[in-house]
Amino acid sequence: MALTTAGRLAVLHACEHLVTEAEDVSEVLRHLVDGARQLLNAPASWLATVDGDDMRNAAHSGLRSPEMPIRWSLKVGQGVGGTVAATGQPTLIRDYRRDRRRVSHVKLIIDQEELRSGAVVPVPAPAGGLLGVLYVGDHHPGRITSDDVDLLALFARAAAVAVERTHHCAALLRLSEARERDAGNLRRKLLLLQQLAAFLLAGADVQQALSLLSAELDTGLELCDPLGRVVARAGETAAPAVMEHLLATADASLGTLTARRRTDLDEPGAQLLGVAGGIFALQLSRRRERYETEQRLNRQFLIDLLRPGTDRCELTARASLLGLDLESPRAVCCVGIHVGPKALSTRPPVLTRRALEAVEDAVGRRFPKSIAILHGAAAVILVPQTRRDRGVLLEGLRAALADATEMLKGMQLSAGLGAPCLNPDDYAGSYQDAALALELARCRQAGGVVLAREQLGIYGMLARSLDPEGIRSCILPMLAPLLRSDEQRGTEHIRTLRAYLAHDRHLQRAAGALHLHVNSLRYRLRRIEQLLDMDLHDPDNLFHLELAVRIAEVLQPTSNQSP
């Protein structure tokens, strides 16, 4: 029985109210199929949405079988509903069982529902196209009329507007929620960055700030210095690296900030890490400026301390301002780049700032409160000597050189250690000892040598009167032709001369030590005289040569010292 006009108006009003209150599209569709069924006072209704060429049941009301919404499907242009979707024209089904447009698999479903007559109308999209097809079915043939079809078509057009409005509202809601999330994330990031800046400006440990950032990003973080050494780490740092930020100023590298996690950082996280990296770079830059200021102050003070004749009272006063006690036992250590035997004929390479920092770190970890500067081509370090056992100090310095060599990826280093210093007057002499010992250590075959003042013997006495360059200039001109011939031609002039002098110029014994015939030894000695332009029978020449050869033995020891 058809509803009265008043009844239909009541249905439309109720449906409009429900649709307006609906929060999502699926709820709107449920209200629409309920309203369509009530509007025509029919037992069943459903709405099929169109997706490309496929039509699927999206909402239903009054169907008997729970399987019908699942099994029902059509292609556009197929069956009654597919024809409506293709043409956009409403259709009246007077008796479904006699309708030739039926599709076999859908016919079985409809027959199970015992639906005979129906109205099928398109649900147009307001902007053009088709949202779907609305069905209303009755159990009796001829119950639904053409007027019902027209009414349902009007209802479907109004319903399409409601669906579109709901789509739009849902999109606005999603956009609003997304913007609210973005705003919340931005507020949280700003708060985090404020906390990071506050921590670091207040002088808090970098580790504390890094832990705060790690917890916010749920990411393992590593902060490394320019040498690749870990300054601080937080979170799961065993995971693979997913992002690395270089921390630098316009003229210097400050290190890296590396994120480690099992999955990539999202874009907001990556942006936050980048801004946080800038804050860490500023903090590291401040620390570097303090370090360089300390270096400048320490460097000028140490240069004056190591220079003979500087006023003792002035040094003591300046040391107190720098927090140094010059009466606390220390020793001067010089560290430079290892050269090898060719150091006799070349100037030593200058230690780089990066190498200085590595040496300072390695020595400082084993001997806290050490002070290092770059002076000339080498690092000069005041090393606390808290024990009388110099062997412990030498062993610690050798281990520190090995650590620094590893940090510098294989750069070989050598060192010289001066005498202990107990008052300001001792430092200049200790520095001379250390500088000479470094020159001698540089010339050894292998790197990593630490040569102490007490190992210099008579050459330590020379250090008091000549600087290392002076000793080099005394030895090199005299022995240079022999050294050059041994290096370039593979001769053994230095070894031959050393054996000849060691056996008090006795040809037979010297030849035996060298495993040579006496005539071969005489030939070699004549060749040495030619190269040196010197008479080996002259006592003055012999004295100078023996002194030079003995100093060369220290500078360039061989594997066989006996001949």
Side-chain angles (χ1 to χ4, degrees), residues 345 475-486 494 531-532:
S345 57
I475 298 170
L476 183 59
M478 187 176 296
L479 298 181
L482 305 184
L483 292 168
R484 187 162 50 248
S485 177
D486 285 354
I494 293 293
L531 289 173
L532 297 180

Side-chain angles (χ1 to χ4, degrees), residues 478-479 482 493-507 509-511 514 521 525 528 532 534-550 553 562-563:
M478 187 176 296
L479 298 181
L482 305 184
H493 294 321
I494 293 293
R495 180 169 177 261
T496 300
L497 183 59
R498 183 169 61 242
Y500 176 66
L501 296 173
H503 290 89
D504 197 22
R505 303 178 301 284
H506 193 286
L507 292 176
R509 291 199 297 269
L514 293 168
L521 176 59
L525 292 175
I528 289 172
L532 297 180
M534 184 180 291
D535 182 3
L536 294 183
H537 296 90
D538 185 288
D540 289 338
N541 289 343
L542 289 172
F543 171 77
H544 290 126
L545 279 175
E546 184 158 6
L547 180 61
V549 168
R550 289 189 178 277
E553 285 180 12
S562 57

Side-chain angles (χ1 to χ4, degrees), residues 334-389:
C334 293
V335 179
I337 298 173
H338 181 73
V339 179
K342 65 179 181 180
L344 278 172
S345 57
T346 60
R347 288 189 175 276
V350 177
L351 200 70
T352 63
R353 177 180 292 277
R354 183 167 180 247
L356 171 65
E357 291 176 358
V359 169
E360 183 179 18
D361 179 76
V363 174
R365 280 189 279 117
R366 295 180 180 274
F367 302 99
K369 298 185 179 179
S370 296
I371 303 171
I373 65 167
L374 188 62
H375 186 42
V380 179
I381 310 172
L382 299 190
V383 184
Q385 187 172 340
T386 56
R387 299 184 182 184
R388 294 184 179 180
D389 185 2

Side-chain angles (χ1 to χ4, degrees), residues 55 57 94 129 190 253 269 289 307 327 357 360 373 405 434 450 488 530 536:
M55 298 175 63
N57 194 317
R94 297 185 181 278
L190 289 175
S253 171
E289 288 176 4
R307 182 187 299 126
E327 295 185 358
E357 291 176 358
E360 183 179 18
I373 65 167
T405 294
V450 181
Q488 295 177 357
Q530 292 171 358
L536 294 183

Side-chain angles (χ1 to χ4, degrees), residues 294 297-299 301-302 317-325 371:
E294 291 173 1
L297 294 172
N298 289 338
R299 185 174 188 278
F301 171 74
L302 290 188
R318 288 168 63 188
S320 64
L321 292 175
L322 294 174
L324 300 176
D325 179 9
I371 303 171

Side-chain angles (χ1 to χ4, degrees), residues 201-424:
L201 289 174
D205 186 25
V206 172
Q207 177 65 54
Q208 189 176 1
L210 199 69
S211 297
L212 182 67
L213 180 61
S214 173
E216 172 62 27
L217 293 175
D218 190 23
T219 300
L221 296 175
E222 278 184 349
L223 184 64
C224 297
D225 66 9
L227 296 175
R229 299 167 298 186
V230 176
V231 175
R233 56 162 51 102
E236 185 188 355
T237 54
V242 295
M243 184 169 292
E244 182 176 276
H245 280 281
L246 297 178
L247 309 181
T249 60
D251 57 354
S253 171
L254 301 172
T256 57
L257 178 61
T258 304
R260 296 182 176 276
R261 59 183 295 163
R262 303 297 176 186
T263 58
D264 290 339
L265 276 173
D266 58 15
E267 185 176 350
Q271 292 174 350
L272 177 59
L273 184 66
V275 177
I279 294 176
F280 280 109
L282 289 174
Q283 176 65 5
L284 293 176
S285 178
R286 290 176 63 214
R287 289 173 58 177
R288 187 178 185 87
E289 288 176 4
R290 288 198 299 269
Y291 168 78
E292 290 176 347
T293 300
E294 291 173 1
Q295 277 283 301
R296 285 193 294 271
L297 294 172
N298 289 338
R299 185 174 188 278
Q300 189 55 54
F301 171 74
L302 290 188
I303 289 173
D304 293 341
L305 179 65
L306 303 176
R307 182 187 299 126
T310 306
D311 183 78
R312 177 172 181 172
C313 294
E314 179 190 350
L315 287 174
T316 304
R318 288 168 63 188
S320 64
L321 292 175
L322 294 174
L324 300 176
D325 179 9
L326 294 183
E327 295 185 358
S328 178
R330 288 186 175 85
V332 179
C333 178
C334 293
V335 179
I337 298 173
H338 181 73
V339 179
K342 65 179 181 180
L344 278 172
S345 57
T346 60
R347 288 189 175 276
V350 177
L351 200 70
T352 63
R353 177 180 292 277
R354 183 167 180 247
L356 171 65
E357 291 176 358
V359 169
E360 183 179 18
D361 179 76
V363 174
R365 280 189 279 117
R366 295 180 180 274
F367 302 99
K369 298 185 179 179
S370 296
I371 303 171
I373 65 167
L374 188 62
H375 186 42
V380 179
I381 310 172
L382 299 190
V383 184
Q385 187 172 340
T386 56
R387 299 184 182 184
R388 294 184 179 180
D389 185 2
R390 293 266 286 180
V392 174
L393 180 59
L394 285 167
E395 193 61 36
L397 288 173
R398 292 188 190 100
L401 288 193
D403 292 344
T405 294
E406 183 178 352
M407 284 188 277
L408 295 170
K409 304 187 185 311
M411 177 188 288
Q412 293 294 310
L413 302 170
S414 300
L417 181 65
C421 305
L422 300 177
N423 61 67

